[in-house]
Amino acid sequence: MRKQKEGSQSHLSTEGINTKFLYLMHIHDSAFPIGTYTHSFGMETFIQNELIRTKEDLFHFCQMYLHENVAYTDGIFVKEAYQQEKLAELIRLEKICDASKNAEETRDASSMIGKQFVKAVLPVSETPSLEEWYQLLQDKKVTAHFPIVYSLYAKDLAFDLYTTVLTFLYSSTVGLVHNAVRAIPLGQKAGIEVIHRLIPEMEKATITVLERDLTDLSNHAVGLELASMQHKYLRSRLFIS
Amino acid sequence: MNGKLDLHFAMRNQKTIMKDVYYQPPLKASRGLYVDNPDNITVYLMESSGGLVAGDRNAYSVRLDERTNVTLHPQAATKVYPAYNGSPSRQQVEIELAEQASLTWEREEVIPFAESEFHSHTTINMKENSRFYWQEILYPGREKRGERFTFDKCHTQLEVWMEDDCLVYDGLRFEPSKQDVKHFGVMGDYHYIASVWLIDKEIELDEEKWNHSSADHQVSITRLRDAGYLVRFLSNDLPRIKKEMDQLGRKS
């Protein structure tokens, strides 16, 4: 790992950075097997209740999801995990992350994705922090929530904090768009348009997240939380959460 | 004004008693009452100033010894007046529960007036076999005056810890001028948020009963990890919220 870090620092050419970026592109590929395509985090309840029907609805929903949910919850966990050097504090942070997710399905989804992520990247990457986390997971000391393990991975790969938060927000939102396109359903073109309109929103949200800390955590997106709690009572479901 | 109320409950001859009280106005506690049974002591929390004005701070500290059983009842809703001078009003609650102690905090109601700023922080430290029940309603403002999310900021934070384990970490941070409060993912057309926290490892509720939704009232339940339940409401029907909260208060 140290070699990789030194390597990236000594070749601060665009070429070096771009090549390294391929690792991140790879894990954000929709075919990367961490199961994001099976989770809607409550969105499916809104789709079934016909609150999200058009690409405009989807854009506004994702905009709300980014600014009122992720930027007040997981985005902050990504940032705080990145800045935390002490293991005991990192474990405490993950406990807070777990407890802050009230809706059972959303809480489980976050740790399911996190676990699959760790299992997928560990065999092919040298990331000492994730290895350590995996050990803690085996010992049942942590639950491997996705924002925490993603942050550890991106930091080990020497990506800066801004890139780490931005790409996390990208993956959280784009995953939802892909799922919505299948569930509503909408055409592929609509999905592409929504994602393009969301990219500037992701940038705004990242800048906001970088100014926040744990005291800013907020579950005020209560409608979404209730939708997640109600999800298991839907008659037919495409998604686990 | 800085109000303060420290309460300490202990067991004496198989009965919960209020062992120590310290108060500083405008906060005050009633005498201990034994309403239903001698096992449970009820104390009313009184606030004589009529509400929090910019810069006011109320601090509660509550300690329950082993096996005590206590119900605390805020006598009135917390009214938060405008933050004219830019300083927010604050409330701090710190609770320590010893082994097998049980605390019920009845209906904390917060009414943040237009242009007010309120921060409340509630921390509970409990043991594996102690129990904690908390009910809260957040109003959108003075509804009769048409105030709906016209306050500047309202932030409530509830934390429950069992030794090193975090059971609840629930922040609700509203800053309506900067947020998309009207989106259905946040409040939609609802005005009230209510929460009932039942932190009790033994409790079993009929989950389906607490999952229903209509145009002006929604309620859902979720299991907390190894710790009991949260029942959350989004509603425009205040009497119905209170009625259903009362049913939950009987822990059925």
Side-chain angles (χ1 to χ4, degrees):
Chain A
M1 190 60 231
R2 194 164 294 139
K3 251 187 215 160
Q4 203 175 342
K5 270 187 187 159
E6 281 166 7
S8 65
Q9 272 159 10
S10 57
H11 302 286
L12 275 177
S13 64
T14 326
E15 199 182 321
I17 291 168
N18 283 346
T19 312
K20 206 176 62 171
F21 210 81
L22 295 182
Y23 289 106
L24 276 193
M25 281 182 66
H26 175 52
I27 63 168
H28 292 305
D29 189 313
S30 60
F32 195 74
I34 57 169
T36 38
Y37 67 94
T38 60
H39 293 285
S40 86
F41 298 96
M43 177 180 71
E44 190 173 22
T45 309
F46 290 137
I47 292 175
Q48 288 203 12
N49 291 341
E50 301 200 323
L51 287 163
I52 309 175
R53 281 179 299 185
T54 63
K55 73 179 176 202
E56 263 327 288
D57 295 342
L58 179 60
F59 171 73
H60 289 298
F61 172 77
C62 290
Q63 194 183 31
M64 178 287 299
Y65 183 74
L66 250 180
H67 295 300
E68 309 302 343
N69 183 264
V70 189
Y72 279 100
T73 56
D74 281 355
I76 298 177
F77 289 117
V78 172
K79 179 208 162 229
E80 291 290 313
Y82 190 98
Q83 292 177 324
Q84 189 52 257
E85 299 291 338
K86 292 183 191 139
L87 185 64
E89 288 299 310
L90 207 52
I91 294 172
R92 185 176 184 272
L93 181 71
E94 213 223 30
K95 286 181 175 174
I96 291 175
C97 175
D98 190 73
S100 70
K101 294 176 187 300
N102 294 323
E104 193 176 8
E105 283 194 353
T106 290
R107 180 171 66 234
D108 289 348
S110 168
S111 66
M112 269 155 81
I113 293 171
K115 275 176 204 157
Q116 279 170 280
F117 176 77
V118 175
K119 284 180 189 157
V121 298
L122 260 193
V124 292
S125 338
E126 259 189 74
T127 84
S129 330
L130 264 199
E131 270 165 36
E132 191 173 32
W133 208 253
Y134 186 64
Q135 194 52 53
L136 290 168
L137 178 66
Q138 302 284 77
D139 299 343
K140 298 201 160 73
K141 298 235 166 64
V142 296
T143 34
H145 278 283
F146 187 48
I148 311 281
V149 293
Y150 181 76
S151 188
L152 294 177
Y153 174 78
K155 192 179 175 183
D156 269 355
L157 257 63
F159 285 103
D160 60 42
L161 177 59
Y162 178 84
T163 309
T164 303
V165 174
L166 180 68
T167 51
F168 179 87
L169 298 189
Y170 171 85
S171 91
S172 312
T173 350
V174 168
L176 275 189
V177 175
H178 287 310
N179 291 345
V181 164
R182 285 190 290 137
I184 295 175
L186 288 174
Q188 287 301 336
K189 263 167 110 181
I192 294 168
E193 196 187 312
V194 169
I195 291 172
H196 273 250
R197 284 173 69 194
L198 283 170
I199 286 176
E201 303 291 328
M202 295 174 199
E203 187 188 9
K204 272 191 247 168
T206 303
I207 293 165
T208 315
V209 166
L210 294 185
E211 287 167 4
R212 289 189 173 153
D213 59 37
L214 280 186
T215 62
D216 294 300
L217 285 175
S218 174
N219 287 330
H220 66 282
V222 183
L224 181 67
E225 185 183 274
L226 293 195
S228 176
M229 293 181 192
Q230 288 156 7
H231 182 259
K232 68 173 169 185
Y233 297 100
L234 296 179
R235 281 209 196 108
S236 67
R237 280 166 289 162
L238 276 179
F239 304 104
I240 304 173
S241 74
Chain B
M1 270 196 284
N2 287 331
K4 207 165 160 33
L5 183 61
D6 296 347
L7 304 173
H8 179 193
F9 297 91
M11 286 301 273
R12 184 184 293 160
N13 303 329
Q14 313 287 324
K15 194 173 162 186
T16 302
I17 55 148
M18 191 152 62
K19 192 176 168 193
D20 287 313
V21 187
Y22 170 80
Y23 70 91
Q24 197 174 294
L27 297 187
K28 212 181 147 183
S30 74
R31 287 188 311 126
L33 308 163
Y34 298 90
V35 186
D36 295 326
N37 57 52
D39 220 23
N40 179 297
I41 189 169
T42 297
V43 174
Y44 285 85
L45 307 176
M46 299 181 288
E47 213 274 358
S48 57
S49 74
L52 291 161
V53 181
D56 282 356
R57 178 190 292 264
N58 281 341
Y60 298 84
S61 167
V62 179
R63 207 170 106 208
L64 268 68
D65 284 359
E66 277 183 33
R67 299 195 317 281
T68 52
N69 189 348
V70 177
T71 300
L72 297 179
H73 226 301
Q75 202 184 30
T78 303
K79 298 172 198 73
V80 190
Y81 287 86
Y84 294 119
N85 52 6
S87 27
S89 304
R90 295 182 190 275
Q91 174 173 297
Q92 185 183 314
V93 180
E94 281 179 10
I95 295 168
E96 294 282 337
L97 304 180
E99 302 275 346
Q100 294 178 355
S102 172
L103 176 66
T104 302
W105 191 294
E106 294 277 4
R107 211 140 59 213
E108 177 76 13
E109 295 176 75
V110 178
I111 310 177
F113 291 8
E115 292 167 45
S116 65
E117 182 174 345
F118 180 62
H119 296 271
S120 91
H121 197 152
T122 304
T123 311
I124 293 88
N125 283 299
M126 63 189 286
K127 303 290 180 199
E128 200 174 351
N129 56 14
S130 39
R131 285 165 291 154
F132 175 65
Y133 310 98
W134 173 273
Q135 300 195 343
E136 188 168 53
I137 304 177
L138 176 64
Y139 287 58
R142 281 174 293 186
E143 280 240 280
K144 284 181 186 144
R145 295 195 178 200
E147 291 178 3
R148 280 177 199 163
F149 296 96
T150 47
F151 54 82
D152 287 348
K153 284 183 192 167
C154 181
H155 176 214
T156 62
Q157 167 81 32
L158 176 70
E159 286 178 45
V160 182
W161 292 83
M162 202 186 73
E163 314 290 348
D164 287 337
D165 282 330
C166 190
L167 303 183
V168 176
Y169 204 94
D170 188 54
L172 289 175
R173 186 177 272 281
F174 280 97
E175 208 176 337
S177 64
K178 296 185 180 165
Q179 294 170 328
D180 191 3
V181 176
K182 291 287 281 176
H183 193 280
F184 54 78
V186 183
M187 294 297 294
D189 293 326
Y190 296 110
H191 302 150
Y192 296 89
I193 301 177
S195 314
V196 177
W197 299 88
L198 304 148
I199 313 299
D200 176 344
K201 287 202 165 190
E202 308 280 306
I203 198 166
E204 287 293 333
L205 293 179
D206 176 0
E207 294 187 32
E208 288 205 37
K209 183 178 165 190
W210 296 107
N211 255 291
H212 47 85
S213 149
S214 62
D216 68 346
H217 186 80
Q218 251 197 76
V219 53
S220 268
I221 186 167
T222 188
R223 211 175 248 283
L224 305 168
R225 195 185 290 286
D226 303 323
Y229 297 95
L230 161 65
V231 184
R232 192 96 98 178
F233 302 76
L234 275 182
S235 183
N236 294 329
D237 189 341
L238 192 58
R240 189 166 169 193
I241 299 177
K242 292 185 177 177
K243 196 176 121 203
E244 294 186 2
M245 277 184 150
D246 289 344
Q247 287 173 18
L248 281 160
R250 291 194 292 274
K251 289 137 199 144
S252 57

